[in-house]
Amino acid sequence: GGVPGHHGTPFGAQGEAAEALACAALAHGAAAGKAGPQLTAMDLMPVDASGHVVGDDGSAIIGDGCVVGNSTEVKNAVLFDKAQAPHFNYIGDSILGYHSHIGAGVICSNLKADGSNVVVRTSEGEAIPTGRRKFGAIVCDYGDVGCNSVLNPGTIICAHTNVYPLSCVRGVVPPNCIYKTGGVIVEKR
């Protein structure tokens, strides 16, 4: 179900409170408390793929019913309830929305090759500076990314959008679309 006061944020049913928490977590590497009925924030401790505390940096918020599987690294990230990163994934400085899924080998790249600050580029050509050197990807509610894809720094996969396997994605992919081979984007029917 939805969150009262939801105003069409890219987080879908999670609403503005969840978006604010996720942005704060990325901006500060940590946050506390709960946002919305579907995110249960753990104490922010660095965790490995099994949810065990591993060190003193790289905090994560991992919601209820999430899958963080074999050889998956999660660092400075928020995984909303039922998000799935089943195996061989890197989720750095990123957000996985409610019931999102990234296939085997998907990388949420969080650092540009030249080390400059990440800029999110919309489909309308607008450049949104993040003010951050490390900013990975946002996969919104019910987003699905195919195996061995790379989400470049600043990529946003909007709600109910699918990405074909072996894709190299950058920018904002609109909601209810399919990102096909070669960067072709089509609306779902």
Side-chain angles (χ1 to χ4, degrees):
V3 174
H6 168 64
H7 298 292
T9 67
F11 290 90
Q14 295 295 328
E16 291 177 0
E19 181 177 16
L21 174 63
C23 290
L26 283 176
H28 303 293
K34 295 183 180 183
Q38 298 187 0
L39 174 65
T40 303
M42 295 171 38
D43 290 339
L44 291 181
M45 303 288 284
V47 296
D48 64 13
S50 301
H52 298 104
V53 175
V54 295
D56 62 359
D57 57 276
S59 298
I61 298 172
I62 304 196
D64 289 338
C66 287
V67 175
V68 179
N70 180 47
S71 299
T72 293
E73 181 180 352
V74 179
K75 180 194 81 71
N76 295 333
V78 177
L79 279 67
F80 284 87
D81 289 351
K82 299 185 181 180
Q84 298 178 348
H87 31 249
F88 303 106
N89 306 110
Y90 177 72
I91 307 162
D93 303 278
S94 297
I95 300 167
L96 298 184
Y98 175 74
H99 222 292
S100 60
H101 173 264
I102 60 175
V106 170
I107 304 298
C108 296
S109 178
N110 64 340
L111 180 65
K112 292 173 60 172
D114 65 4
S116 64
N117 284 350
V118 175
V119 175
V120 175
R121 302 214 181 266
T122 69
S123 52
E124 293 82 31
E126 179 184 3
I128 303 169
T130 65
R132 298 184 50 79
R133 192 169 153 264
K134 288 189 173 184
F135 184 101
I138 299 173
V139 179
C140 297
D141 295 351
Y142 298 96
D144 192 351
V145 180
C147 295
N148 293 315
S149 292
V150 173
L151 305 181
N152 284 287
T155 296
I156 299 175
I157 307 298
C158 290
H160 300 278
T161 289
N162 299 77
V163 175
Y164 272 19
L166 299 171
S167 295
C168 184
V169 186
R170 71 177 63 248
V172 178
V173 182
N176 300 305
C177 287
I178 300 171
Y179 185 99
K180 295 185 171 193
T181 306
V184 174
I185 300 172
V186 298
E187 283 189 52
K188 288 184 178 178
R189 297 185 235 181

